[in-house]
Amino acid sequence: EVQLVDSGGGLVQPGGSLRLSCAASGFSFSTYWMNWVRQAPGKGLEWVANIKQDGSGKYYVDSVKGRFIISRDNAQNSLYLQMNSLRAEDTAVYYCAGGPGWLITSWGQGTLVTVSS
Amino acid sequence: EIVLTQSPGTLSLSPGERATLSCRASQSVAKNYLAWYQQKPGQAPRLLIYDASTTATGCPDRFSGSGSGTDFTLTISGLEPEDFAVYYCQQYATSPLTFGQGTQLEIK
């Protein structure tokens, strides 16, 4: 069974940094495109970034370009999101999600990031 | 960027009725790479339909998807109590991947 466990969320001040992690199990992690998708409180889903199976391709939504970095460690079956220069509008539940292509077939349970002073 | 517009925003129906949810794209979705997800409060989304009309593993057969190009539909025939949730369409043909704003399906 595919399992994705998100962690690393918390309260951070505007301008601060946070690193999210996602531990994958139950499937061949190195064969999946992996994504981060976020959901602000009471709002809809917003795709944030994705990374190719071998890490050679990375894509971002415009609002996080230059501030967020997606990465992966296939040896550790782990996905990461380094978030810098955080803003209040980055407050959301962040989901790790993945699939064999750009289609997202599996989701983590989410981790809450709150940006506030 | 492909903008997806879902309608209606809220749909009020009774168990046993048929639900029809719409998703319209601002430009043609290549290869009909359009998915539908269901999300219940406090839970992660769950994949229901992909490639516009293919039912995902474990999805009940009362859920069906149709459409192509810019107009897509999710139909739920014979609503069950557990179907009342928020539904999102998403295109995965071009970057950035985009979601519709969601349709809230509520019990009438």
Side-chain angles (χ1 to χ4, degrees), chain B residues 5-101:
Chain B
T5 302
Q6 292 186 239
S7 61
T10 302
L11 185 57
S12 300
L13 294 170
S14 300
E17 291 192 294
R18 179 187 186 96
T20 303
L21 287 66
S22 173
C23 176
R24 178 161 291 179
S26 60
Q27 57 188 276
S28 184
V29 178
K31 302 181 182 179
N32 294 326
Y33 279 175
L34 191 287
W36 290 92
Y37 297 89
Q38 176 193 68
Q39 188 179 35
K40 297 180 179 179
Q43 297 185 16
R46 168 196 175 195
L47 177 65
L48 299 175
I49 303 288
Y50 63 96
D51 295 349
S53 61
T54 303
T55 306
T57 302
C59 177
D61 57 12
R62 63 182 178 273
F63 290 88
S64 63
S66 62
S68 65
T70 61
D71 288 289
F72 301 89
T73 300
L74 174 69
T75 302
I76 313 170
S77 55
L79 284 165
E80 298 287 343
E82 61 267 28
D83 298 336
F84 293 92
V86 180
Y87 292 84
Y88 296 95
C89 60
Q90 185 225 1
Q91 66 81 20
Y92 49 98
T94 61
S95 185
L97 308 186
T98 49
F99 290 88
Q101 81 279 17

